Amino acid sequence: MTGPLREREDAHALLTAEAERARAGGGRLVLLRGATGTGRSAVLEAAAAHATHLGLRVLRARCSPDDIALPFSSVLHLLGSVPEFADVGPGDDDRGSAARLWRLLRSYADETPLMVAVDDVHLADEASRRWFVEAARRIDRLPVLLVATERSQYDIDPRPAGLTHALSPSVVRTHTLAPLTDNASADLVRAAFPAASDRWTADCVRAGAGSPLLLRALLDDLDGAPPPTAVPRTCAALYPGSYPAAVSWWLDSAGPATAEVARTLAALEQAERTERTKRKEEAERKEQAGRKEQAGRKEQAGRTEQAGRTEQAGRAEGAVGRNVDPASAPAPGSTHEALPATETATATGTATETAATTEAASEAASEAATDTLAVLVADASGADPARVSGWFTAMTRLGVLRPDRAGRPRYAHPLLRDAVLGGWSTARRQDAHRAVAQAMLRRGDHLDAVARQLLGSAPTGLPWALRVLRDAATVAARHDRPGDAVRYLRRALQEPLPDDLRQRLLTELGSLEYASADTPAGIPRLAEALDLPAEPRDQVRTAIALGTALVGRGEVRTAVEVLRRLEGRLAGHPDLARALQTASALLSDQDQTVRREAYRWLTDTAERSPELVGASGQALLVRYAATAGDLPAQEAMRRLRTLLTEPADPLAEPFLLGTAAAVAQWADELDEAERLVERGLAGQHPSLLHPMEQALLDTRWDIAAARGAYGALLAALPEASRARRAGGGPVNADAHTLLALVETGRTPQARRLADTFDLRDTADSWELNRFLYARGVLRFTEGDVAGALHDFLECGRRQSARAVLSPVVTPWRTAAAECRLELGNPEEALALAAEELRLARVWNTPRTTGRALRVLGRATRGRRGLELGAEAVAVLRDSPAEAELVASLLAHGWQLTAAGERGRGRDLLREGAERAERLGSVRLLTHAEQALRTAGGRRTTPAHTGSGALTGSERRIAELAAEGRTNTEIAELLHVARRTVETHLTSTYRKLGIRRRGELRGVLDD
């Protein structure tokens, strides 16, 4: 595809003027310089055509590197056959030959004015170059225009001096052809494709890189696929391939060193692009998997009308307490009044200086980024860093490279980058990635960056490469980037490895693949790892990981069998065998039949030989007894604390910590449970599947629910989807999320979450039972009492089948009793509540006992019912379960009101309403306000701010902080977790309207 020359008017005007001068008898040398592809030959051809039109005789020669060995080869091409011309060999005296050639040129000039057109003079033989220089000195009085084109481009290997370096400026006119501007390139595109859109045109312009050669080649290739077909991003999509051929010629012209640097840069850029694409795909998969949770978060951001009014009222009162009118508060970045003129001028000047400083800083950062990249490319390609940096600058000016947002040079278009890489084989590209990785490692780059380059390299067999990949995988797993860790480990497994190391890497890879939702790939890898020879401890880790994955897929019995088979081969390793036994018992929790068998075996073994069970197994038996209703909380905690003091094998310790944390949470020892959870999670290997990791996370959810921390539960909504097993059934996080949505008044959102699961096809598990209970609470709130009763009774049937009789896990009996009361069956309600209280008194914690007393009081009625209700309130005042206390205050307040003791009843209802509001329970607050209205009372205005709004715990911690104690000291004094102290202080600052610890004393004294 040909067309008019663009932006070459200056060159054309110069050559026209010099042609007229030659006609008048005055000669000159005109040197047209430019980079490869800028159209030097096209301008020369146009000048020759114009000279012919003016009547000049045109002598043409195109120099070639093939003719370098023959002296005067280029001149002979110009002048034709020369009579009596003798070939001159290298090293011989060529002055005579030069003189004869000069005489021949003069004879031509005597006949008619001449234009001597020499293309690519930089490729001429040395004798011809000397002749051209000498001719330039003599033709000023001859009708001869000598026009030569010369490649002038910055390359990695410095080029020899140009044709005119020894000539006086007076005898030569030099003109440099600049690359095409974007506007000129766009005109060429539109001339070829008039219907092209602006975006399509811009794509072509960038791929053309300011080079007429590349742009015309691209337009030739696109002639068969005009817009709206997208401009290809790879050469494979181009036909017939003029563009990649032109790019290859451009690189060949630049020399091997420049081509090496250009391709190394392209390989680096391609690796970064591939990495960005993979990260984007991974993010999209996560987004798709968590779309429902995202919708939930959006709805959560828009509070219900009731909760929104409460929160706004709190903010308004808080603003009044700080003498700020919320409605009149300035917007961020605004000012209350205009500045005086002098200040305005000063501000303007300052802004200008700031902008200049920012621009200078940006330029400095861009230069630093370019220099850093230049050093890396130079190291990888064996080039001079200064030359590489200069090449980056030159190519950016030409348009081949364009700076990215960080200021680093990048190829102007992906198609150009792909064409540059096209000259390399796969093996050569892999070598380049290895060289880049090694260069990055030498200069101390981040492990991630080095490992990403190794992803594109072939197996090296070098120790440093394997070390980098393993370390990068560990860091990625620790920072919750399982996708990166998986890629690094897959690449590491391509290296030559001994069996034991391959076994460990396969275990880590299988664990990560399973955890990152690639379940089909994870389990076979773990099975392969278990079949490889390895140390017994490594085999146990693999078996536990495989068992965890199998249970997640619903294959509980298979998982237990895998662990039992390995246990049979560990006769000489009792500690490892005990770890497997404990893991078997814990994994069996997901299937009631397997669970009964596992705990029967564990119990029998503990009775015969306690040493064979170990501390972690004993802890599981304590937990089993607690859920079966056979053990008080105080005794359970005493046993567990004793077990925690015993030495524990690192493989068994997580089971001990996780079990103790769960029981401590049931026993209302929430701070201790939290410490155990954090300790257990800190000891988890980020790249290994372990059943106790999810158990610890579940206990963390349980602790938050026990404290009524609904905001924290809802803020962690995405964790629920990540925790779901391959079977797709609900997990513990879903149950707590559902309850939190109900408590905070988001019933429609709770209904959508509940409808997500078809529980009829869900495999048996303790998590299913929890979700049944949560769905029952939702149904009861919606008014579907019969449906709620069905869920509670089904939960109870399943729990009883698992020998889980105690209300420490799911208080289904009290919930079912309340349904019976609503349906008018007080006798059945009384039986359920009485049995719940019997079991609660065995466990004997305020939370379970108070809840059972509350419901039994409602079912009993009369004076005895009032006594039970009052006892429930008294018991729960010493409990961390604020929601249970609120429910008991409301229930007993309603009892007293119904019994005629309206004053006492209204007091309890008001207290319940205030506590419900502080807790954030819209459900309980609504219930309290309805009860107050029915009782003929109304709420007093609650204290949203000031010291009166502080809870007892908040005030106690604030007073210690005001005395100058650190958070750690407060935590030790009160036997709570440091995070609990920090949470309480944050709430205190908000309520008191302060920002710093030093303000506490003055505010508390007020």
Side-chain angles (χ1 to χ4, degrees):
M1 182 179 292
T2 60
L5 298 179
R6 303 279 176 172
E7 297 184 327
R8 300 295 180 253
E9 292 82 0
D10 290 348
H12 183 69
L14 171 64
L15 292 169
T16 299
E18 293 300 328
E20 293 289 352
R21 187 173 184 273
R23 285 180 66 191
R28 180 113 62 189
L29 167 62
V30 176
L31 183 65
L32 297 175
R33 307 178 70 203
T36 301
T38 49
R40 300 187 311 268
S41 298
V43 172
L44 184 63
E45 287 299 320
H50 185 69
T52 301
H53 177 72
L54 293 177
L56 277 70
R57 178 183 179 186
V58 179
L59 305 178
R60 291 183 174 87
R62 178 163 293 155
C63 303
S64 168
D66 296 335
D67 299 332
I68 289 178
L70 178 64
F72 296 109
S73 174
S74 299
V75 180
L76 289 172
H77 287 165
L78 276 171
L79 303 178
S81 61
V82 181
E84 303 178 0
F85 180 79
D87 291 343
V88 179
D92 294 341
D93 187 1
D94 60 1
R95 284 177 294 182
S97 298
R100 284 193 292 274
L101 292 170
W102 172 249
R103 287 195 297 271
L104 181 60
L105 178 66
R106 289 196 61 167
S107 69
Y108 289 162
D110 290 340
E111 297 174 3
T112 183
L114 299 177
M115 175 182 173
V116 179
V118 183
D119 202 7
D120 292 337
V121 72
H122 54 283
L123 299 178
D125 60 277
E126 189 59 33
S128 293
R129 286 170 61 84
R130 288 195 302 270
W131 191 89
F132 289 138
V133 170
E134 190 61 30
R137 292 193 181 103
R138 300 181 181 183
I139 62 174
D140 58 330
R141 295 182 181 180
L142 294 177
V144 178
L145 172 60
L146 175 57
V147 183
T149 68
E150 183 178 63
R151 183 179 181 275
S152 174
Q153 183 171 308
Y154 192 97
D155 294 316
I156 300 302
D157 285 337
R159 293 285 177 174
L163 180 68
T164 61
H165 77 285
L167 288 175
S168 168
S170 62
V171 301
V172 62
R173 297 290 300 274
T174 302
H175 183 84
T176 300
L177 300 178
L180 292 178
T181 64
D182 286 354
N183 288 336
S185 298
D187 288 343
L188 284 172
V189 175
R190 294 192 183 97
F193 298 100
S197 67
D198 290 344
R199 181 172 180 178
W200 195 90
T201 300
D203 251 4
C204 290
V205 168
R206 293 177 75 92
S211 167
L213 169 74
L214 298 184
L215 184 57
R216 292 188 186 281
L218 175 64
L219 296 178
D220 282 342
D221 285 340
L222 293 175
D223 194 36
T229 304
V231 176
R233 303 177 75 83
T234 65
C235 294
L238 281 177
Y239 182 82
S242 300
Y243 181 81
V247 172
S248 295
W249 181 79
W250 173 77
L251 286 173
D252 290 343
S253 301
T258 301
E260 184 80 5
V261 167
R263 287 173 174 140
T264 301
L265 175 64
L268 264 171
E269 189 178 331
Q270 181 72 21
E272 291 181 6
R273 175 181 174 274
T274 302
E275 186 65 22
R276 285 197 303 270
T277 300
K278 288 181 178 178
R279 288 178 184 271
K280 182 179 179 181
E281 290 172 352
E282 187 173 345
E284 288 175 351
R285 284 197 299 269
K286 288 182 179 179
E287 182 181 359
Q288 185 176 4
R291 191 164 293 166
K292 293 181 180 179
E293 282 70 24
Q294 288 178 351
R297 287 199 300 276
K298 287 180 181 178
E299 185 169 332
Q300 176 189 346
R303 304 287 187 185
T304 58
E305 185 178 354
Q306 176 69 38
R309 284 200 304 268
T310 302
E311 186 174 348
Q312 289 168 4
R315 283 201 300 268
E317 290 190 30
V320 170
R322 295 188 294 274
N323 298 320
V324 176
D325 180 3
S328 63
S334 66
T335 54
H336 286 291
E337 54 187 84
L339 291 170
T342 55
E343 294 186 16
T344 302
T346 303
T348 303
T350 302
T352 303
E353 292 174 5
T354 302
T357 303
T358 302
E359 184 177 355
S362 177
E363 289 180 2
S366 176
E367 289 177 6
T370 301
D371 291 343
T372 300
L373 182 61
V375 171
L376 176 61
V377 172
D379 197 353
S381 59
D384 179 358
R387 298 293 299 181
V388 174
S389 182
W391 187 80
F392 284 171
T393 302
M395 292 303 103
T396 301
R397 288 176 178 171
L398 288 177
V400 174
L401 303 178
R402 300 198 182 201
D404 64 5
R405 293 179 180 177
R408 298 172 301 176
R410 291 290 184 263
Y411 281 97
H413 193 273
L415 182 62
L416 177 58
R417 179 188 62 234
D418 190 63
V420 169
L421 270 178
W424 263 2
S425 65
T426 300
R428 188 63 193 87
R429 295 188 195 190
Q430 291 174 336
D431 289 344
H433 285 299
R434 179 200 52 75
V436 169
Q438 198 162 8
M440 295 174 81
L441 185 65
R442 279 196 296 266
R443 73 177 191 178
D445 279 9
H446 194 277
L447 277 175
D448 248 2
V450 182
R452 283 198 296 270
Q453 290 301 321
L454 286 173
L455 291 176
S457 70
T460 65
L462 299 172
W464 68 265
L466 180 59
R467 184 178 67 253
V468 165
L469 290 165
R470 292 186 66 190
D471 291 348
T474 300
V475 171
R478 187 176 293 120
H479 289 84
D480 196 25
R481 292 188 287 111
D484 291 340
V486 164
R487 288 196 289 274
Y488 298 150
L489 287 175
R490 285 175 179 169
R491 172 62 183 81
L493 283 165
Q494 296 174 10
E495 296 287 324
L497 301 170
D499 282 345
D500 58 342
L501 180 53
R502 182 172 295 278
Q503 193 268 355
R504 290 197 294 273
L505 294 184
L506 278 170
T507 301
E508 292 185 26
L509 177 57
S511 297
L512 288 166
E513 285 176 330
Y514 180 87
S516 58
D518 195 1
T519 308
I523 291 178
R525 293 213 198 257
L526 291 169
E528 180 185 354
L530 194 59
D531 289 338
L532 289 174
E535 292 293 324
R537 186 170 293 275
D538 290 331
Q539 287 183 319
V540 169
R541 288 193 181 97
T542 303
I544 290 175
L546 178 56
T548 305
L550 289 169
V551 167
R553 203 165 65 177
E555 301 178 24
V556 181
R557 187 171 294 279
T558 304
V560 173
E561 289 173 356
V562 166
L563 270 60
R564 292 277 172 81
R565 282 199 301 270
L566 180 58
E567 182 187 339
R569 305 199 299 267
L570 297 174
H573 303 275
D575 289 345
L576 300 179
R578 284 196 291 269
L580 285 175
Q581 293 162 6
T582 307
S584 298
L586 184 69
L587 292 172
S588 70
D589 273 347
Q590 297 295 343
D591 185 286
Q592 61 184 14
T593 304
V594 182
R595 183 177 189 269
R596 282 197 302 269
E597 297 171 1
Y599 277 95
R600 187 183 305 117
W601 179 90
L602 195 61
T603 303
D604 294 344
T605 304
E607 291 175 355
R608 294 193 313 270
S609 306
E611 72 281 358
L612 296 179
V613 175
S616 56
Q618 294 285 356
L620 282 178
L621 290 174
V622 170
R623 191 190 72 162
Y624 185 80
T627 58
D630 298 335
L631 196 65
Q634 187 175 359
E635 175 62 17
M637 290 306 300
R638 184 192 67 78
R639 293 186 189 180
L640 287 171
R641 288 174 180 135
T642 301
L643 292 172
L644 286 167
T645 62
E646 297 180 5
D649 183 271
L651 280 175
E653 186 178 37
F655 296 105
L656 177 59
L657 292 172
T659 304
V663 176
Q665 185 272 133
W666 295 336
D668 288 347
E669 300 286 350
L670 301 185
D671 291 331
E672 183 172 357
E674 194 168 47
R675 286 196 297 272
L676 290 167
V677 166
E678 298 309 318
R679 181 179 161 192
L681 288 174
Q684 290 292 309
H685 194 298
S687 300
L688 290 176
L689 271 181
H690 197 287
M692 194 45 74
E693 180 178 10
Q694 188 56 50
L696 288 163
L697 294 173
D698 283 328
T699 302
R700 179 186 279 174
W701 281 82
D702 296 343
I703 294 169
R707 286 185 168 138
Y710 307 124
L713 292 169
L714 294 176
L717 272 173
E719 294 182 17
S721 62
R722 287 202 296 269
R724 288 196 187 118
R725 297 187 303 279
V731 295
N732 187 44
D734 292 312
H736 283 305
T737 300
L738 187 59
L739 289 171
L741 290 170
V742 172
E743 288 298 329
T744 53
R746 300 173 177 86
T747 308
Q749 189 177 346
R751 169 49 56 194
R752 287 196 293 274
L753 175 59
D755 292 343
T756 302
F757 306 100
D758 185 356
L759 302 188
R760 295 170 300 179
D761 299 327
T762 302
D764 175 65
S765 71
W766 65 269
E767 291 171 301
L768 171 60
N769 301 344
R770 282 245 176 125
F771 196 80
L772 278 168
Y773 175 82
R775 193 177 70 174
V777 173
L778 170 63
R779 285 179 165 178
F780 188 87
T781 304
E782 292 175 325
D784 181 11
V785 181
L789 178 61
H790 174 272
D791 280 345
F792 293 140
L793 293 177
E794 179 63 16
C795 171
R797 183 187 69 78
R798 290 172 175 269
Q799 290 288 69
S800 300
R802 301 167 64 84
V804 178
L805 305 178
S806 174
V808 296
V809 181
T810 47
W812 62 270
R813 292 181 187 84
T814 50
E818 290 186 300
C819 291
R820 293 292 191 193
L821 287 173
E822 290 293 322
L823 294 172
N825 299 318
E827 295 82 5
E828 296 179 17
L830 189 62
L832 286 166
E835 177 63 9
E836 183 96 328
L837 180 60
R838 182 188 72 79
L839 291 166
R841 290 204 185 278
V842 173
W843 185 242
N844 200 26
T845 59
R847 188 176 7 154
T848 54
T849 304
R851 180 172 52 226
L853 285 167
R854 167 174 58 83
V855 178
L856 184 61
R858 287 191 60 206
T860 302
R861 303 183 187 278
R863 179 54 54 184
R864 178 57 181 160
L866 288 172
E867 292 172 354
L868 291 170
E871 185 181 357
V873 171
V875 166
L876 285 165
R877 286 196 184 278
D878 296 327
S879 167
E882 184 76 3
E884 292 295 344
L885 173 58
V886 172
S888 294
L889 285 168
L890 300 182
H892 190 47
W894 180 250
Q895 284 179 305
L896 290 171
T897 302
E901 300 184 43
R902 288 180 173 270
R904 288 179 59 200
R906 285 195 291 264
D907 289 343
L908 290 179
L909 291 174
R910 288 193 188 97
E911 181 185 357
E914 292 171 7
R915 287 179 177 271
E917 185 171 33
R918 285 201 298 268
L919 188 65
S921 175
V922 175
R923 183 182 69 86
L924 290 174
L925 178 60
T926 303
H927 178 55
E929 291 178 335
Q930 290 174 347
L932 272 170
R933 285 194 296 270
T934 303
R938 62 179 181 178
R939 289 179 59 199
T940 56
T941 303
H944 293 279
T945 60
S947 59
L950 300 181
T951 65
S953 298
E954 289 171 345
R955 175 171 286 279
R956 187 163 60 252
I957 289 173
E959 289 172 347
L960 289 171
E963 293 173 5
R965 298 183 185 273
T966 65
N967 290 357
T968 302
E969 290 172 341
I970 297 172
E972 292 174 352
L973 279 171
L974 300 180
H975 303 289
V976 298
R978 177 173 173 169
R979 194 170 72 175
T980 301
V981 175
E982 294 168 349
T983 301
H984 280 66
L985 283 175
T986 300
S987 176
T988 299
Y989 292 164
R990 178 178 57 79
K991 291 179 180 179
L992 297 180
I994 62 176
R995 295 185 178 181
R996 286 181 288 276
R997 203 183 196 93
E999 301 176 58
L1000 276 171
R1001 183 178 296 278
V1003 178
L1004 289 174
D1005 290 343
D1006 294 342

